[in-house]
Amino acid sequence: MARSRFPNALQMRTLKYGEAAEAERDRVAEALRAAGRHAEALLLYERRPGHPDLAGEIAWAVGEGNGFHLTAVQRTGGTVAADDWQACAAEAERRGRWMDARHCFVALKDEASLRRIAEHLPASLQPAPESEDEANDA
């Protein structure tokens, strides 16, 4: 069996929480990103919210329309601007990734857009119908 060039779960744990040098974390994260394994790479940026590679992760997520990855960046301490959420939502819609678009609109608290895409969402995730008062206010 060939050995993977990427760390296994135990090695990742050691990289994340052990005494590994930041340069080693960065090297492994870059290799993971280059292989398209962004979610795993993002784990190595935890506790480093100002890391410059987080901007690349945000750009990647926006370009893919991957709203869930933007949330992961935010959870690591990175800052995701409203413009990034909006651009990600637009790309997600363009690609027909309705759950990602919904995720972005929830983050933006954009009820109008949630209603606009509601027909593409499972019934359990569709916004409640507008009351007559809300409809008249619009």
Side-chain angles (χ1 to χ4, degrees), residues 66-125:
N66 191 330
F68 294 99
H69 196 72
L70 285 183
T71 297
V73 169
Q74 222 170 27
R75 285 184 181 149
T76 65
T79 302
V80 180
D83 289 347
D84 292 323
W85 284 111
Q86 196 67 50
C88 186
E91 183 61 21
E93 278 190 78
R94 189 184 75 72
R95 292 177 179 227
R97 297 181 65 161
W98 303 109
M99 292 300 292
D100 279 297
R102 177 191 179 276
H103 198 73
C104 293
F105 293 138
V106 167
L108 290 165
K109 297 178 176 69
D110 185 347
E111 279 293 318
S113 293
L114 284 169
R115 290 186 190 290
R116 185 174 49 74
I117 67 165
E119 69 182 273
H120 301 287
L121 300 173
S124 63
L125 295 176

Side-chain angles (χ1 to χ4, degrees), residues 22-34 38-39 41-46 48-62 69-70 72-74 76-80:
E22 285 195 14
E24 177 65 8
R25 287 186 192 111
D26 289 346
R27 184 190 66 72
V28 173
E30 181 57 35
L32 289 165
R33 289 176 68 208
H38 292 268
L42 199 54
L43 296 172
L44 297 173
Y45 298 117
E46 286 181 10
R48 302 190 294 160
H51 198 285
D53 286 350
L54 288 177
E57 287 301 300
I58 291 169
W60 176 83
V62 168
H69 196 72
L70 285 183
V73 169
Q74 222 170 27
T76 65
T79 302
V80 180

